[in-house]
Amino acid sequence: MSSQEQALASLISQLALSFDGAVLGLTVACIAVRSIRRFFTTSAAIRKINRAPSLSVSDLRSILDENDSDGDGNSDYGKVVIVRGTVDAKSSVDGSWKTLWPGVLVSRDSGDKGVIIQRTQTCIYSEWRGIFGWTSDIRALFTRSWRRRESTSLRKVPFVLIDVGRRSSAEYVVVSMDGSKHPLPLTTVYHKMQPINPPVYTFLQALFGHEYPVGLLDEEKILPLGKDISAVGLCSLRNGIAEIKSCNDLPYFLSDLSKEQMILELSFKMKILFWSGIVLGSMSVGILSYAVVKNWNRWKQWKQRRQLQQQRQTIVEVNSQQDDEIEDVPDGQLCVICLMRRRRSVFIPCGHLVCCQGCAVSVESEVAPKCPVCRQEVHDSVRIFES
């Protein structure tokens, strides 16, 4: 860890522990509230998936109500269903001259056919601390840290789901990817790490601690033809054709899991969210309670000290006026702050007699009281009486 990272970590810890941990307590409380909200969201998703019928593509049309659509066979809403089917190109079921056009994507590296291709290029940089760029962090002297820069491209073509085990079928459901941000069950077909030929000035970059590229990782994932997947979403009729689209309230859209596996996975996630919300909520209540009690006691002590200082200031002003009326003060015995009254108070623990009682009380009321002569911290002051 570099010196800048250490300073940033120290600043974050100071902010988190400020106000006797109140900021930390509020942060933990926000995380607990977020966990509880995600718990209820996951619980609602489990109920929806549990109520959703799981069926094949050929049985899908039987549950779609034709009466819910308008005269053209369109429906503005649908029913949540779980459809298990095989991925196929939309051009294969169009039944027109479009069937002559394959309508699929071909992987550039592996040659596999698919309907979705995601290509990711990751450039890996080395941040090794060179001779003139090293820090006091011991780990940075013996290890290398890596930083990555990724660029991702995604290509899609329209595709459908047909019954599992059938090459072609009159019954199919069109998969609409519009507005879907759910993770996709893609298959990795190409994964290769290529070293980058270092230029001439790479040695100078490493010597002075600058980052330089060391490798390029190419990765390609596709949704291949013939893959069996489950589609979870809203299914409706569009011009008499079944269409399924993603539902934002559900964590899945296209998945390799079955209905039972989805419920088990969400149930486990729901338990983790529930107990994390309970634990973090209890921690936040404890931290905030401690911070409230601590700051309340501190405020009461400050209020009492303020009242005592006001009373003491009043007494000091009366005594100072009496002293000024009684005698004239020589120059060598004047207060070093106001230069008007006699030196009457001794600071503890330094023992300097340099201020009048009024100025001594003013020094004590400061946030960090210090002696005006030696700058030592002042704990209290004592009035000196001459017999």
Side-chain angles (χ1 to χ4, degrees), residues 176-190:
S176 175
M177 299 291 295
D178 296 338
S180 174
K181 297 182 180 180
H182 296 78
L184 299 174
L186 303 180
T187 303
T188 302
V189 294
Y190 184 78

Side-chain angles (χ1 to χ4, degrees), residues 28-329:
V28 176
C30 292
I31 298 175
V33 171
R34 185 178 179 183
S35 298
I36 295 298
R37 290 181 59 185
R38 292 181 63 186
F39 165 78
F40 286 111
T41 302
T42 306
S43 178
I46 290 179
R47 290 194 297 270
K48 284 188 177 182
I49 294 178
N50 197 20
R51 290 196 301 262
S54 179
L55 36 81
S56 61
V57 176
S58 58
D59 299 330
L60 181 61
R61 190 176 293 272
S62 61
I63 69 167
L64 297 178
D65 191 0
E66 298 284 353
N67 296 326
D68 291 340
S69 59
D70 54 18
D72 296 332
N74 297 327
S75 177
D76 294 333
Y77 58 92
K79 295 182 178 180
V80 178
V81 296
I82 302 175
V83 182
R84 187 72 178 179
T86 302
V87 177
D88 199 359
K90 189 174 184 299
S91 59
S92 64
V93 296
D94 279 341
S96 63
W97 61 271
K98 295 181 180 179
T99 56
L100 301 176
W101 186 260
V104 295
L105 300 174
V106 181
S107 172
R108 187 181 67 181
D109 298 305
S110 65
D112 295 338
K113 295 181 179 180
V115 292
I116 298 177
I117 293 182
Q118 176 181 333
R119 185 176 180 86
T120 304
Q121 286 188 336
T122 305
C123 188
I124 302 177
Y125 290 81
S126 175
E127 293 181 347
W128 181 73
R129 303 293 181 179
I131 298 177
F132 300 102
W134 65 276
T135 62
S136 58
D137 189 6
I138 300 178
R139 183 179 62 84
L141 296 177
F142 298 99
T143 61
R144 292 180 299 178
S145 59
W146 304 93
R147 189 165 62 86
R148 299 187 176 190
R149 292 179 184 174
E150 293 185 356
S151 61
T152 304
S153 62
L154 186 67
R155 292 186 297 159
K156 299 179 290 185
V157 295
F159 65 98
V160 298
L161 294 181
I162 61 176
D163 284 324
V164 178
R166 297 184 183 181
R167 292 293 183 88
S168 62
S169 176
E171 297 293 338
Y172 61 90
V173 56
V174 178
V175 179
S176 175
M177 299 291 295
D178 296 338
S180 174
K181 297 182 180 180
H182 296 78
L184 299 174
L186 303 180
T187 303
T188 302
V189 294
Y190 184 78
H191 185 89
K192 185 176 181 181
M193 180 73 175
Q194 299 177 354
I196 296 179
N197 295 326
V200 179
Y201 54 86
T202 300
F203 174 75
L204 297 177
Q205 288 180 323
L207 186 66
F208 287 93
H210 295 287
E211 60 181 23
Y212 57 93
V214 295
L216 182 64
L217 177 63
D218 278 341
E219 188 176 22
E220 196 171 46
K221 297 180 179 181
I222 69 171
L223 182 61
L225 297 177
K227 183 174 183 178
D228 296 336
I229 60 174
S230 297
V232 185
L234 298 173
C235 192
S236 59
L237 293 177
R238 298 289 179 182
N239 297 323
I241 299 175
E243 182 184 58
I244 189 169
K245 61 181 179 180
S246 63
C247 181
N248 295 328
D249 297 336
L250 298 178
Y252 303 105
F253 178 38
L254 300 178
S255 175
D256 293 325
L257 304 177
S258 62
K259 177 179 179 179
E260 292 75 15
Q261 291 173 336
M262 293 179 190
I263 294 176
L264 289 176
E265 187 176 87
L266 291 178
S267 299
F268 179 73
K269 181 180 178 181
M270 188 175 65
K271 292 179 181 179
I272 294 178
L273 291 173
F274 174 77
W275 288 111
S276 62
I278 295 297
V279 173
L280 293 176
S282 302
M283 290 177 57
S284 64
V285 170
I287 296 174
L288 290 175
S289 300
Y290 170 79
V292 168
V293 172
K294 192 77 173 179
N295 285 280
W296 174 257
N297 293 333
R298 184 178 298 174
W299 180 80
K300 289 196 300 184
Q301 292 175 1
W302 175 84
K303 187 176 181 180
Q304 293 176 357
R305 187 167 58 250
R306 185 70 176 175
Q307 292 176 353
L308 292 175
Q309 288 178 354
Q310 290 178 354
Q311 295 175 0
R312 188 174 179 182
Q313 184 72 24
T314 304
I315 298 174
V316 167
E317 291 176 355
V318 174
N319 294 333
S320 300
Q321 291 177 359
Q322 294 177 354
D323 292 342
D324 294 339
E325 294 175 356
I326 294 175
E327 59 179 350
D328 295 331
V329 182

